């Protein structure tokens, strides 16, 4: 039996300002306002033996204060527990807040705590997280998203794409879902011509099309040799996504907006995704992510985790078939370390755990914190 016990949990609410307002299709169709900041929830877990684990989750637009409040309520459940019993502790945390559900904000509040426990366990073993779990590869193909938003003129998107490829990134994703389908097709045409046929190109509609529009657009987009078409429909429309996956050659990717393994299971049952895009901070952490990855592999699906490359690089490296990790530079100011990218791939760090330490900026942007002992 391990003699180590959890003695402290520190939670920090962090508000990360973005350099410029970000707009995707949800802004152009009036559903949301431009995004100007990202709310993050950091968890630092300490033990009797002096070990420390770091985890984080996030919320875009509303939800950050709610995640922080829920995590503060359930964090005392960890005090005195063996930090190696991660699956047991995930279940304990989930049941502590079960009256508000097993997905959504309740799951997202658990994620930083769960991720911190995995970070701590890998540090105890002296291994990168991917190696602790069991890696299939030491690097993962990566594509860039942050340079292809709809608010950027197409000339800027082309410039950003060139810069990404020159930095070693292997693929480019751009946003679509503009109210004018002609604008979408013109932008995709320009980017494909700029990149050539050999560079991986993905598009992301951010759930903006109805079923009729999605069929029309997927038919048009089939000719561009895309790596995938992402979220052409509402994230919960498993039946609609499945129909598109059956009808068109271009793979359909979805799953980033779902907040539980159960919701992803419905996608898989329906055959709604050729490429599954789970997000560990959204579904409750690494523990449920690994359960979902096993299910996805049994159904022969590709895996391309959404956002949070600092976490998902490790997880994508453990998936049996080759997938993709999404390069987003938004979170880089929060950490002292940087991901290494070369020849279209992101390399798994050789540092123990996630291999991350928080920067001075994280402390500067902290709006609230609490320590539980």
């Amino acid at each position: 039996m391990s003699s180590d016990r959890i003695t402290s949990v520190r939670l920090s609410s962090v508000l990360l300002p973005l350099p410029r307002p970000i707009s995707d299709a949800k802004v152009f169709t009036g559903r949301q306002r431009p995004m100007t900041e990202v709310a993050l929830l950091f968890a630092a877990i300490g033990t009797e033996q002096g070990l420390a684990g770091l985890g984080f989750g996030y919320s875009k637009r509303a939800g950050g204060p709610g995640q922080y409040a829920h995590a503060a309520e359930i964090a005392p459940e960890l005090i005195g527990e063996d930090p190696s019993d991660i699956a047991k502790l995930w279940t304990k945390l989930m049941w502590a807040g079960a009256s508000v559900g097993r997905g959504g904000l309740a799951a997202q509040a658990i994620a930083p705590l769960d991720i911190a426990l995995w970070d701590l366990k890998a540090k105890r073993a002296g291994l990168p997280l991917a190696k602790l779990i069991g890696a299939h590869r030491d690097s993962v193909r990566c594509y860039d998203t942050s340079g292809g938003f709809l608010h950027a003129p197409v000339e800027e998107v082309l410039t950003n794409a060139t810069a990404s490829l020159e930095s070693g990134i292997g693929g480019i994703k751009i946003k679509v879902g503009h109210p004018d389908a002609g604008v979408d097709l013109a932008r995709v045409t320009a980017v494909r011509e700029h990149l050539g046929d050999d560079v991986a190109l993905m598009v992301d509609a951010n759930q903006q099309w109805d079923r009729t529009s999605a069929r029309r657009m997927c038919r048009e987009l089939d000719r561009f040799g895309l790596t995938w078409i992402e979220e052409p429909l509402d994230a919960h429309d498993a039946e609609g996504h499945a129909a598109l996956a059956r009808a068109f050659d271009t793979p359909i990717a979805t799953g980033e907006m779902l907040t539980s393994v159960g919701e992803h299971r419905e996608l898989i049952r329906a055959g709604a995704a050729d490429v599954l895009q789970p997000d560990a901070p959204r579904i409750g952490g690494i523990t449920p992510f690994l359960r979902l990855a096993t299910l996805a592999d049994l159904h022969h699906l590709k895996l391309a985790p959404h956002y949070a490359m600092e976490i998902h690089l490790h997880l994508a490296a453990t998936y049996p078939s080759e997938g993709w990790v999404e390069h987003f530079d938004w979170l880089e100011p929060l950490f002292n370390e940087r991901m290494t990218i070369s020849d279209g791939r992101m390399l798994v760090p050789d540092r123990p755990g996630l291999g991350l330490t928080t920067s001075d900026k994280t402390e500067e942007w902290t709006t609230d914190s609490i320590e539980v002992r």
Side-chain angles (χ1 to χ4, degrees), residues 5-29:
R5 297 288 162 180
I6 296 171
T7 56
S8 66
V9 179
R10 184 175 189 266
L11 299 171
S12 300
S13 178
V14 178
L15 205 57
L16 168 69
L18 297 176
R20 61 186 291 192
I22 301 297
S23 296
D24 60 20
K26 291 186 289 292
V27 173
F28 278 77
T29 54

Side-chain angles (χ1 to χ4, degrees), residues 7-314:
T7 56
S8 66
V9 179
R10 184 175 189 266
L11 299 171
S12 300
S13 178
V14 178
L15 205 57
L16 168 69
L18 297 176
R20 61 186 291 192
I22 301 297
S23 296
D24 60 20
K26 291 186 289 292
V27 173
F28 278 77
T29 54
R31 294 185 178 183
Q32 291 180 334
R33 296 178 180 177
M35 182 164 51
T36 58
E37 58 197 17
V38 178
L40 293 109
L41 173 59
F42 277 84
I45 294 178
T47 76
E48 286 179 343
Q49 293 182 6
L51 297 174
L54 175 69
F56 69 91
Y58 72 94
S59 178
K60 297 177 181 178
R61 300 181 173 90
Q67 290 180 16
Y68 176 71
H70 189 80
E73 282 195 277
I74 62 176
E77 300 291 337
L78 295 176
I79 302 301
E81 292 282 3
D82 186 333
S84 294
D85 295 339
I86 301 177
K88 168 190 168 183
L89 296 180
W90 189 91
T91 301
K92 184 178 185 183
L93 291 170
M94 179 57 71
W95 279 108
S99 65
V100 293
R102 301 187 192 182
L105 186 148
Q108 292 166 15
I110 293 173
L113 299 165
D114 180 79
I115 293 165
L117 289 170
W118 279 100
D119 180 58
L120 191 156
K121 191 169 190 175
K123 287 175 178 173
R124 185 192 298 277
L127 294 171
L129 177 60
K131 294 292 186 181
L132 177 76
I133 296 170
H136 284 269
R137 58 196 65 83
D138 293 325
S139 65
V140 182
R141 293 180 297 181
C142 64
Y143 68 95
D144 186 69
T145 293
S146 49
F149 278 84
L150 278 174
H151 66 263
V154 68
E155 294 79 10
E156 182 180 332
V157 173
L158 300 182
T159 299
N160 292 340
T162 297
S164 294
L165 297 178
E166 289 177 348
S167 74
I169 292 170
I172 301 296
K173 186 170 82 177
I174 67 168
K175 300 292 186 171
V176 292
H178 193 281
D180 183 345
V183 171
D184 279 340
L185 294 174
R187 288 168 71 90
V188 175
T189 298
V191 175
R192 174 49 86 199
E193 290 177 352
H194 181 74
L195 297 177
D197 294 335
D198 295 333
V199 175
L201 175 60
M202 304 83 162
V203 301
D204 183 358
N206 288 111
Q207 310 178 72
Q208 290 310 291
W209 296 324
D210 59 28
R211 290 186 177 186
T212 299
S213 298
R215 285 194 300 272
R216 289 172 178 164
M217 288 301 295
C218 286
R219 188 175 298 113
E220 292 285 348
L221 293 168
D222 240 356
R223 60 190 167 91
F224 290 98
L226 302 175
T227 301
W228 66 65
I229 299 170
E230 184 171 332
E231 284 194 325
L233 298 167
D234 184 279
H236 294 273
D237 186 0
E239 183 181 272
H241 278 101
L244 296 176
R246 290 191 299 267
F248 299 103
D249 292 336
T250 306
I252 299 298
T254 190
E256 69 175 66
M257 295 301 299
L258 304 185
T259 63
S260 70
V261 174
E263 290 172 335
H264 279 276
R265 186 175 62 239
E266 293 307 308
L267 284 185
I268 294 171
R269 282 177 176 171
D274 301 296
V275 182
L276 203 65
Q277 297 181 299
D279 184 319
R282 280 185 173 160
I283 65 172
I286 292 170
T287 298
F289 187 101
L290 295 176
R291 295 172 185 166
L292 176 58
T294 298
L295 185 60
D297 179 48
L298 289 172
H299 286 81
H300 311 290
L301 299 178
K302 295 294 185 181
L303 194 74
H306 167 255
Y307 200 57
M309 62 185 182
E310 295 83 359
I311 297 167
H312 289 133
L313 170 59
H314 290 271

